[in-house]
């Protein structure tokens, strides 16, 4: 079993990013598939601030507008998701990030898509 979070070589990362862009054009008409999605430190801290969190799991979803949506949730030491109750209203990631050891889990989504918000060109986003 692969260890979660192992590093990947730049060459392999470049190959895999390019493969998704080049080899899956069939997805483009059906789904707004970004090159990348950015989450800032506040968003990540909001997920990790929940009591018992040792990692993050990223779920993939599709919005009503057929855009890819990544959702970040905390994971405990047994590998289980730490989720809010289904009827819970979403709360501010700013307040969640400040509540280290909090018992109120949060699901974070709506990262910034690339494009339009991209890094300078590099080997992962289609530059060299």
């Amino acid at each position: 079993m692969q260890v979660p979070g192992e590093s990947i070589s730049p060459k392999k990362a470049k190959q895999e990013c390019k493969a998704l862009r080049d080899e899956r054009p069939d997805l483009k008409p059906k789904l707004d598939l970004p090159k990348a999605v950015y989450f800032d430190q506040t968003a990540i801290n909001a997920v990790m601030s929940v009591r018992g969190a040792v990692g993050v799991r990223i779920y993939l979803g599709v919005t009503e507008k057929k855009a890819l949506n990544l959702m970040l949730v905390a994971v405990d030491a047994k590998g289980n998701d730490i989720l809010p109750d289904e009827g819970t209203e979403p709360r501010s990631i700013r307040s969640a990030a400040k509540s280290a050891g909090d018992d109120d889990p949060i699901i974070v989504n709506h990262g910034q898509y690339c494009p339009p918000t991209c890094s300078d060109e590099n080997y992962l986003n289609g530059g060299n």
Side-chain angles (χ1 to χ4, degrees):
M1 182 169 125
Q2 184 178 4
V3 176
E6 282 188 359
S7 67
I8 186 172
S9 74
K11 182 178 180 180
K12 180 81 170 157
K14 178 181 179 178
Q15 288 171 342
E16 291 184 7
C17 288
K18 186 172 179 354
L20 182 61
R21 284 192 307 274
D22 296 349
E23 296 178 22
R24 294 304 312 260
D26 57 311
L27 291 177
K28 196 64 179 161
K30 299 174 190 170
L31 182 64
D32 182 9
L33 190 63
K35 293 180 181 182
V37 181
Y38 167 79
F39 290 91
D40 69 8
Q41 185 176 7
T42 302
I44 293 168
N45 287 345
V47 174
M48 290 300 298
S49 69
V50 176
R51 186 182 328 273
V54 298
V56 174
R57 180 165 287 122
I58 302 172
Y59 280 91
L60 306 175
V62 178
T63 69
E64 299 84 19
K65 295 181 180 180
K66 301 295 183 207
L68 179 70
N69 186 23
L70 302 182
M71 295 161 276
L72 284 61
V73 300
V75 177
D76 68 18
K78 293 181 180 178
N80 294 314
D81 297 338
I82 305 173
L83 299 171
D85 292 333
E86 279 191 58
T88 305
E89 289 295 317
R91 63 190 191 130
S92 159
I93 64 169
R94 305 276 179 261
S95 66
K98 293 179 184 175
S99 307
D102 197 342
D103 285 328
D104 287 331
I106 187 170
I107 300 172
V108 172
N109 73 344
H110 294 300
Q112 294 177 333
Y113 275 21
C114 165
T117 307
C118 297
S119 169
D120 291 342
E121 283 194 14
N122 61 56
Y123 58 82
L124 292 181
N125 65 20
N128 282 345

